[in-house]
Amino acid sequence: MVDQIVFGIGITALAGALATVAGAAEDTESDIGSQGDPNSQVQLAPQMGYIHRIFNKAIAGEPPAYGLWVALGAGVAWALMAMQVNAVLAIILGSALAVFVQGIYATTAYLGRIASLAKFGQPVYIDIIKSMTTVTMAHAFVAVFTTVTVCYLINVALGHPFPLPLLGLVWGIALGAAGSATGNPFYGKERQYQSQKFGAGVPIAASGNIVRYAEAGERNSLDNGWFSSKLGGPASGVCFGLIVFFELWRTVIFEEIANGWGAVIVGILVILIFAVIDRYIEIWARKTYGPYGKPEEAA
Amino acid sequence: MVVLETLGIMVILIALIGIIIGGVLIGFGVHFVPVGGAPAAMGQAPGIATGVAMLAAGAGLAGLFGGAWAAELGLLVALAAGAVGGGLMMAITQLMVNIIYIFGMGIPVASGKVAKDPITGDTQTEFKSQGTEGHGLPFVSYAGGVIGGMLGGLGGTLIYVMLLDVYLDALPLIYSTNKEAIYLVAVSLAGIFAVGMFLVNAVLAAYNITGTIEGPHDPKFKRFPRDIVASAIATAVTGIFALGLVLV
């Protein structure tokens, strides 16, 4: 009994750590590829006369894209394991295959997105395809591999009833959702609109006028990846890591209490704790930063 | 029609009703989730910077994950575990959104739809930056997101459990074997259909709110009755298909 819980705690901690890496890689990958919501501005810029050299591969949001890639990686890994291939090697091979699908996706999406902007004079840059695609694939591999490993641990070590491919789909979508929610605003406001005032949202009148010149020369997506890897990426990693950790932790440790209700109660307590923290930082921001102007009369 | 004769039409109907209720809970729950979409990624609007369907799916599937894990402990525990799972994912994600806005971007949270937060009473308008409709997640949006995640997880788990029960009874009859032998197939089928129905209902809700919504305080929230009808119909159709799969 004690051994089982200790083992479960260890697996939970490992899964949480892997998920943190997965989230960080996922957000950085999507920012290099400009796939998340800020991509609306990358797509809009040429239509406003701002030609740029940012990679542009948003034909699906991060959640369905990662749902596909992680499920694919998990599915192939599962099939290989059924053929008696070693689990570690199977997961690596499955993830590698999923990443090549991601590479095809990135290439065709970029060509398609940019071609649609031809009437506005936005060119397809061959050197952008060559240099960016491999970088997004590399980051995608890290995200897919770590997430598939998390799913494998959940299935084999912790005994979740879902088979590996289904777990891959579920956690792939969750990975994309968490990474998108956390990393996108930072990439959108602080990188694409770096020239706008710090500490305020982008005025709607500024739409499309993204930063197109780098510290030296024209900006490209590697510059954006470098930026995201310093805060947005790690924050996304912490977000997904916390999600995986607490989902597993409350079940592994507390499900034995009161025939499963222990896990429910602990889950509610954790939610309340996070709500209190959120309220605290909301108040802190209002006091510390102060208002932009005077309160208006209710509309 | 061996399966239908053995299980009885009433068992199938009860499962279908449970599935429809699950689908409606998902559709209704999505309306609570604060979705800012592309403008939220630029600090131009409150909410989370991702699409409606996908954010709801992320939270709801996290709930389904928790609920499926607890399925063997009984219906009530599974449903509660699913609800908490969905709510927990939203609580963590939304906290990180505000942390990024406040500490990463120096932007306080503010609503664009109400002058005062209905829960906390904080005034909102003076904390909106110029040229925007608010940003981040004011507390009413945060609370709405947690509720939405819980409803999504609850609905998804309900669909899964209803399907799983039918499959565990029907598949042994079809394959002339015992429950243990078809357990993995039953779990997989129920899981896949639960995910699929979840996405169907999340997308319907996305259309109903036309892309973005600030939370339960948003005027768009009042459109939910239309979505309940749409969700019930769509889930009934997909539910009949999912159940009909094994009625031979």
Side-chain angles (χ1 to χ4, degrees), chain B residues 70-91:
Chain B
E72 61 186 21
L73 297 176
L75 179 65
L76 287 185
V77 176
L79 294 180
V84 167
L88 186 55
M89 161 143 181
M90 288 304 300

Side-chain angles (χ1 to χ4, degrees), chain A residues 160 247 278-279 286 289 292, chain B residues 65 85 98 102 122-123 126:
Chain A
H160 195 281
E247 292 284 2
D278 181 77
R279 178 61 186 158
R286 291 168 67 93
Y289 299 149
Y292 294 97
Chain B
F65 168 85
N98 274 350
I102 292 169
D122 291 348
T123 54
E126 71 270 28

